[in-house]
Amino acid sequence: MTNQNHIVPAILTAACCLMSWLVVVPDAAGQVFENRTYDAGLDAMWQGHGVGTADYDGDGDQDLYIAARWKHDPFNPRSWNRLFRNNGDGTFEDVTASAGAQVDFLPDLPAKVFGNKFSVAWADYDRDGDPDLLLTHVGPEVLFRNNGDGTFTDVATDAGLNPADGTTDDFETAGATWFDFDLDGYLDLYLSSWNGPNRFYRNNGDGTFEDISESTGMDLEDRTWMSMSWDVNRDGWPDLYLANDFGPNTLFINLKNGQFADRTSEWGLGDPGESMGLALGDASGDGFPDLYVTNNAVRGGDMLLNTFFLGAAVGPLIDTAQAEGIANTDWAWGTEMFDGDLDGDLDLFVVNGALIERGTPNRYFKNRKADIGVFRFEDASASSQADGRAESHGLLVFDVENDGDPDLLITNWDEPLYLLTHPGTTNTWLKVGLQGSSANLEGFGSEITLFTAKGEQKRFHNGVDFLGQNIQPAMFGLGSLTSYDAIEVIWPGGMTERWEGGPASTLRTLVQGTGTLIATNTEELSLPESSTAVYPNPARDHVSFILESVPADSPSEWIPASTDWAQTWTVYDALGRRMASGQAGFGRQEIRLDTSSWAAGLYLLKVSVAGSWSDESRPFVVLGY
């Protein structure tokens, strides 16, 4: 049965194709990228694979970590991973050794055809305010905890991500995706494997992880390259999409009870190709996230074409890649949608290359919607000089110099990487940083809407790239505008806030709980049932919680007879400072706290029974005024 929701998009797509024959369309605005690899001090990085960016040292600019594809060889510098600190002037300093971020301690496992070191995924998994780093490999993973002083410590085994007995597998763990599937404020981790079972870890909130791969049915063995999380069905809960090699892709919808359901067919996202990269963004400008999938193999003499799923409220989504002229980009890997010319619409970049397909160019497609009023991609690869012909795999879009222009970093298989800097433009821009309170600190899973005099723009904030995940502000192009009207954020869980507008060409950081509350789905924001429920949540001038223990006339044997209280409670802020504390007697008691003078942000309630502290904290949000 035909899905009526897609009749109009299909007609519009056909109409756009017809218009391209009938209307003389002006050439895309000239834009030439400049290769600044050597000037920036990044020329030592050969044979690159995964790449990720975050401000690991807190100085306000984006630093880089780049994984080399081969296992570490002390006599071959091209095999070394590198941490580059951004100097703030367009150059970088290799600080790998001084930061303790080398990966020279992995087992000496055989070299694999796709390399031995893969993803670079930044996230503040322990909520201590600085970015940590997860690296995937053939063999054990590495979780570099940021020590807050410019150095890192590998805690992967202590955290439960590697076997405590020291056993080593030879699975090719390719992708790593941080997302908060249970909305407890802590980022969980999904690891995808190219030749073994995928793994899913729940963040316990105490620095450790629980393997829930099997219990959730997420331990697929579909040769998954990467995964990406966003709220597909718009119910406030993050879902997960897998890009699988040698088989259809998979969409898992979050059931909000710790479980997921395969809804691939319902949404039409199976994809018949052999998928590698994913890019998400509202390129069509209709308010729904479009999904681009790269496929990179030839089967039976036919190229397995890329797909572009046009977003809609319900599925199945339709593939318009061929109509848009972006279906065949050779042997494709990393891809990203971003506003390359800052004109207010999302452009598309695709990197490619393979051993059996040498010399194919990377592809840059400019979106013409801002120019002609119709969504249409135009190939600007050659004219932009972004069509490098190395065998490229990784792609990162970030702002090298903090000047508002999006730059490109591309990792290459057997050549130095490409750092392609933006040529500069008179167009204005806006960066939006997010800081969660009840949500995860990075705001991964949020939907950002920018309101301007020229309409609305959306970003679906998850930080995910092919073999990488990043902590950086969302970037918007404003064209010739000198200001914007408002910003609206839907946080994971459904809480929606609005901030008034301001001047263009600035960075604005939005802290959850400091905007005007537009809507909140209290059912989705509520925590699992507990005898220590906190309400209202979010709160403004007060918060209450109920403590229950055994009745006073029948105390349990583990509570001393001389004890006249059963429970102790303490509330901490996000920095670990004690805000309030007290004791409660036997039976059921309600505690009410005045929070009218508390700063907006996240707070944690901890409760002990007879001196034994519970492992579980009850987070709640104070909105402030």
Short mmCIF file of all heavy atoms in Angstrom, two decimals, residues 467-506:
data_model
loop_
_atom_site.label_atom_id
_atom_site.label_comp_id
_atom_site.label_asym_id
_atom_site.label_seq_id
_atom_site.Cartn_x
_atom_site.Cartn_y
_atom_site.Cartn_z
N LEU A 467 33.99 6.46 11.64
CA LEU A 467 35.16 6.20 12.48
C LEU A 467 35.52 7.39 13.36
O LEU A 467 36.69 7.62 13.66
CB LEU A 467 36.37 5.79 11.63
CG LEU A 467 36.21 4.53 10.78
CD1 LEU A 467 37.54 4.18 10.09
CD2 LEU A 467 35.71 3.35 11.59
N GLY A 468 34.50 8.14 13.80
CA GLY A 468 34.79 9.25 14.69
C GLY A 468 33.56 9.79 15.37
O GLY A 468 32.43 9.63 14.88
N GLN A 469 33.75 10.40 16.54
CA GLN A 469 32.69 11.14 17.22
C GLN A 469 33.32 12.34 17.89
O GLN A 469 34.41 12.24 18.48
CB GLN A 469 31.95 10.27 18.24
CG GLN A 469 30.68 10.93 18.78
CD GLN A 469 29.76 9.93 19.47
OE1 GLN A 469 30.11 8.78 19.71
NE2 GLN A 469 28.57 10.37 19.80
N ASN A 470 32.64 13.48 17.81
CA ASN A 470 33.26 14.75 18.15
C ASN A 470 32.43 15.54 19.14
O ASN A 470 31.20 15.44 19.17
CB ASN A 470 33.42 15.58 16.87
CG ASN A 470 33.94 14.76 15.72
OD1 ASN A 470 35.10 14.34 15.74
ND2 ASN A 470 33.09 14.49 14.73
N ILE A 471 33.12 16.34 19.94
CA ILE A 471 32.46 17.30 20.82
C ILE A 471 32.79 18.68 20.29
O ILE A 471 33.92 19.18 20.45
CB ILE A 471 32.93 17.15 22.27
CG1 ILE A 471 32.70 15.73 22.78
CG2 ILE A 471 32.21 18.15 23.16
CD1 ILE A 471 33.25 15.49 24.18
N GLN A 472 31.83 19.30 19.64
CA GLN A 472 32.04 20.64 19.10
C GLN A 472 30.68 21.30 18.91
O GLN A 472 29.65 20.63 18.86
CB GLN A 472 32.81 20.59 17.78
CG GLN A 472 32.11 19.83 16.67
CD GLN A 472 32.87 19.92 15.35
OE1 GLN A 472 33.53 20.92 15.06
NE2 GLN A 472 32.81 18.87 14.55
N PRO A 473 30.65 22.63 18.81
CA PRO A 473 29.37 23.31 18.61
C PRO A 473 28.76 22.96 17.26
O PRO A 473 29.46 22.64 16.30
CB PRO A 473 29.75 24.79 18.68
CG PRO A 473 31.09 24.84 19.32
CD PRO A 473 31.77 23.57 18.94
N ALA A 474 27.43 23.04 17.18
CA ALA A 474 26.74 22.94 15.90
C ALA A 474 26.95 24.24 15.14
O ALA A 474 26.92 25.33 15.72
CB ALA A 474 25.25 22.70 16.12
N MET A 475 27.18 24.12 13.82
CA MET A 475 27.48 25.29 13.00
C MET A 475 26.33 25.59 12.05
O MET A 475 25.80 24.69 11.39
CB MET A 475 28.78 25.06 12.21
CG MET A 475 30.01 25.01 13.09
SD MET A 475 31.58 24.96 12.15
CE MET A 475 31.62 23.23 11.66
N PHE A 476 25.95 26.87 11.97
CA PHE A 476 24.89 27.34 11.08
C PHE A 476 25.44 28.46 10.19
O PHE A 476 26.20 29.32 10.67
CB PHE A 476 23.71 27.92 11.87
CG PHE A 476 22.97 26.92 12.72
CD1 PHE A 476 23.43 26.60 13.99
CD2 PHE A 476 21.81 26.33 12.26
CE1 PHE A 476 22.74 25.69 14.79
CE2 PHE A 476 21.11 25.43 13.04
CZ PHE A 476 21.57 25.11 14.30
N GLY A 477 25.03 28.48 8.92
CA GLY A 477 25.31 29.61 8.04
C GLY A 477 24.12 30.54 7.99
O GLY A 477 22.97 30.10 7.94
N LEU A 478 24.38 31.84 8.02
CA LEU A 478 23.31 32.84 8.05
C LEU A 478 23.25 33.70 6.80
O LEU A 478 22.43 34.63 6.72
CB LEU A 478 23.47 33.74 9.28
CG LEU A 478 23.32 33.06 10.64
CD1 LEU A 478 23.58 34.06 11.76
CD2 LEU A 478 21.94 32.45 10.79
N GLY A 479 24.11 33.43 5.81
CA GLY A 479 24.09 34.23 4.60
C GLY A 479 24.45 35.68 4.90
O GLY A 479 25.48 35.97 5.51
N SER A 480 23.60 36.60 4.49
CA SER A 480 23.86 38.03 4.69
C SER A 480 23.25 38.59 5.96
O SER A 480 23.36 39.79 6.24
CB SER A 480 23.32 38.82 3.49
OG SER A 480 21.91 38.61 3.36
N LEU A 481 22.60 37.74 6.77
CA LEU A 481 21.92 38.23 7.98
C LEU A 481 22.93 38.70 9.03
O LEU A 481 24.00 38.13 9.18
CB LEU A 481 21.04 37.13 8.57
CG LEU A 481 19.88 36.63 7.70
CD1 LEU A 481 19.17 35.48 8.40
CD2 LEU A 481 18.91 37.77 7.41
N THR A 482 22.56 39.70 9.76
CA THR A 482 23.40 40.21 10.84
C THR A 482 22.92 39.78 12.22
O THR A 482 23.56 40.09 13.22
CB THR A 482 23.45 41.76 10.79
OG1 THR A 482 22.12 42.27 10.91
CG2 THR A 482 24.07 42.23 9.48
N SER A 483 21.79 39.08 12.26
CA SER A 483 21.26 38.60 13.53
C SER A 483 20.34 37.42 13.27
O SER A 483 20.01 37.10 12.13
CB SER A 483 20.50 39.72 14.27
OG SER A 483 19.36 40.10 13.51
N TYR A 484 19.94 36.76 14.35
CA TYR A 484 18.97 35.67 14.27
C TYR A 484 17.89 35.93 15.31
O TYR A 484 18.08 36.70 16.26
CB TYR A 484 19.65 34.32 14.49
CG TYR A 484 20.31 34.18 15.84
CD1 TYR A 484 19.66 33.57 16.90
CD2 TYR A 484 21.60 34.68 16.06
CE1 TYR A 484 20.26 33.45 18.15
CE2 TYR A 484 22.21 34.57 17.30
CZ TYR A 484 21.54 33.96 18.34
OH TYR A 484 22.12 33.85 19.57
N ASP A 485 16.73 35.27 15.15
CA ASP A 485 15.57 35.59 15.97
C ASP A 485 15.50 34.79 17.27
O ASP A 485 15.14 35.34 18.32
CB ASP A 485 14.28 35.36 15.17
CG ASP A 485 14.20 36.27 13.96
OD1 ASP A 485 14.83 37.34 13.97
OD2 ASP A 485 13.53 35.90 12.98
N ALA A 486 15.78 33.49 17.21
CA ALA A 486 15.65 32.64 18.40
C ALA A 486 16.30 31.29 18.13
O ALA A 486 16.57 30.93 16.97
CB ALA A 486 14.17 32.45 18.76
N ILE A 487 16.54 30.56 19.21
CA ILE A 487 17.01 29.17 19.14
C ILE A 487 16.12 28.32 20.02
O ILE A 487 15.77 28.72 21.14
CB ILE A 487 18.46 29.02 19.63
CG1 ILE A 487 19.39 30.02 18.93
CG2 ILE A 487 18.96 27.59 19.41
CD1 ILE A 487 20.80 30.03 19.50
N GLU A 488 15.75 27.17 19.53
CA GLU A 488 14.95 26.23 20.31
C GLU A 488 15.67 24.88 20.35
O GLU A 488 16.18 24.42 19.33
CB GLU A 488 13.57 26.07 19.67
CG GLU A 488 12.53 25.40 20.58
CD GLU A 488 11.14 25.57 20.00
OE1 GLU A 488 10.57 26.67 20.11
OE2 GLU A 488 10.62 24.59 19.44
N VAL A 489 15.72 24.27 21.51
CA VAL A 489 16.39 22.99 21.69
C VAL A 489 15.42 21.98 22.28
O VAL A 489 14.79 22.26 23.31
CB VAL A 489 17.63 23.10 22.60
CG1 VAL A 489 18.27 21.73 22.82
CG2 VAL A 489 18.65 24.08 22.01
N ILE A 490 15.29 20.84 21.63
CA ILE A 490 14.58 19.69 22.22
C ILE A 490 15.66 18.76 22.76
O ILE A 490 16.42 18.15 22.00
CB ILE A 490 13.72 18.96 21.18
CG1 ILE A 490 12.70 19.91 20.55
CG2 ILE A 490 12.99 17.79 21.84
CD1 ILE A 490 11.86 19.27 19.46
N TRP A 491 15.75 18.68 24.08
CA TRP A 491 16.76 17.85 24.71
C TRP A 491 16.32 16.39 24.70
O TRP A 491 15.12 16.10 24.59
CB TRP A 491 16.98 18.30 26.16
CG TRP A 491 17.45 19.71 26.30
CD1 TRP A 491 16.68 20.82 26.47
CD2 TRP A 491 18.81 20.17 26.28
NE1 TRP A 491 17.46 21.94 26.55
CE2 TRP A 491 18.78 21.58 26.45
CE3 TRP A 491 20.04 19.54 26.14
CZ2 TRP A 491 19.94 22.35 26.48
CZ3 TRP A 491 21.20 20.31 26.17
CH2 TRP A 491 21.14 21.69 26.34
N PRO A 492 17.25 15.44 24.84
CA PRO A 492 16.85 14.04 24.97
C PRO A 492 15.86 13.88 26.12
O PRO A 492 16.09 14.38 27.22
CB PRO A 492 18.17 13.32 25.27
CG PRO A 492 19.23 14.20 24.70
CD PRO A 492 18.72 15.60 24.87
N GLY A 493 14.75 13.22 25.87
CA GLY A 493 13.69 13.08 26.85
C GLY A 493 12.50 13.96 26.55
O GLY A 493 11.42 13.74 27.09
N GLY A 494 12.65 14.98 25.71
CA GLY A 494 11.52 15.79 25.30
C GLY A 494 11.45 17.18 25.87
O GLY A 494 10.61 17.98 25.45
N MET A 495 12.30 17.52 26.83
CA MET A 495 12.29 18.87 27.38
C MET A 495 12.66 19.88 26.29
O MET A 495 13.69 19.73 25.62
CB MET A 495 13.27 18.98 28.54
CG MET A 495 13.37 20.37 29.15
SD MET A 495 14.64 20.36 30.47
CE MET A 495 14.56 22.07 30.99
N THR A 496 11.82 20.90 26.08
CA THR A 496 12.03 21.88 25.02
C THR A 496 12.20 23.27 25.62
O THR A 496 11.38 23.71 26.42
CB THR A 496 10.85 21.88 24.03
OG1 THR A 496 10.66 20.55 23.53
CG2 THR A 496 11.13 22.82 22.87
N GLU A 497 13.27 23.95 25.22
CA GLU A 497 13.55 25.29 25.71
C GLU A 497 13.81 26.23 24.55
O GLU A 497 14.25 25.81 23.48
CB GLU A 497 14.78 25.28 26.62
CG GLU A 497 14.60 24.57 27.93
CD GLU A 497 15.85 24.66 28.79
OE1 GLU A 497 16.78 23.88 28.56
OE2 GLU A 497 15.88 25.54 29.68
N ARG A 498 13.57 27.51 24.82
CA ARG A 498 13.76 28.54 23.79
C ARG A 498 14.59 29.68 24.36
O ARG A 498 14.40 30.09 25.50
CB ARG A 498 12.40 29.06 23.32
CG ARG A 498 12.44 30.02 22.13
CD ARG A 498 11.04 30.49 21.77
NE ARG A 498 11.01 31.38 20.64
CZ ARG A 498 10.77 31.00 19.38
NH1 ARG A 498 10.54 29.71 19.12
NH2 ARG A 498 10.76 31.87 18.38
N TRP A 499 15.52 30.17 23.53
CA TRP A 499 16.34 31.32 23.88
C TRP A 499 16.12 32.41 22.83
O TRP A 499 16.01 32.11 21.63
CB TRP A 499 17.82 30.95 23.91
CG TRP A 499 18.23 30.13 25.09
CD1 TRP A 499 18.81 30.57 26.25
CD2 TRP A 499 18.12 28.70 25.23
NE1 TRP A 499 19.05 29.52 27.10
CE2 TRP A 499 18.65 28.35 26.50
CE3 TRP A 499 17.63 27.68 24.42
CZ2 TRP A 499 18.70 27.05 26.96
CZ3 TRP A 499 17.67 26.37 24.87
CH2 TRP A 499 18.20 26.06 26.14
N GLU A 500 16.08 33.65 23.27
CA GLU A 500 15.90 34.76 22.34
C GLU A 500 17.13 34.93 21.47
O GLU A 500 18.23 34.46 21.79
CB GLU A 500 15.61 36.05 23.10
CG GLU A 500 14.28 36.03 23.84
CD GLU A 500 13.11 35.72 22.92
OE1 GLU A 500 13.04 36.33 21.83
OE2 GLU A 500 12.28 34.86 23.27
N GLY A 501 16.98 35.63 20.35
CA GLY A 501 18.03 35.76 19.36
C GLY A 501 19.14 36.71 19.77
O GLY A 501 19.18 37.22 20.90
N GLY A 502 20.03 36.97 18.81
CA GLY A 502 21.17 37.82 19.09
C GLY A 502 21.95 38.10 17.81
O GLY A 502 21.48 37.80 16.71
N PRO A 503 23.15 38.65 17.93
CA PRO A 503 23.94 39.01 16.75
C PRO A 503 24.54 37.78 16.06
O PRO A 503 24.77 36.75 16.69
CB PRO A 503 25.04 39.91 17.33
CG PRO A 503 25.18 39.44 18.75
CD PRO A 503 23.80 39.05 19.19
N ALA A 504 24.79 37.92 14.78
CA ALA A 504 25.41 36.85 14.00
C ALA A 504 26.91 36.77 14.29
O ALA A 504 27.48 37.62 14.96
CB ALA A 504 25.16 37.09 12.52
N SER A 505 27.52 35.72 13.75
CA SER A 505 28.97 35.48 13.83
C SER A 505 29.47 35.45 15.26
O SER A 505 30.44 36.12 15.64
CB SER A 505 29.72 36.54 13.00
OG SER A 505 29.35 36.44 11.64
N THR A 506 28.78 34.65 16.08
CA THR A 506 29.16 34.47 17.48
C THR A 506 29.01 33.00 17.85
O THR A 506 28.35 32.22 17.16
CB THR A 506 28.29 35.31 18.43
OG1 THR A 506 26.91 34.94 18.23
CG2 THR A 506 28.47 36.79 18.18
#
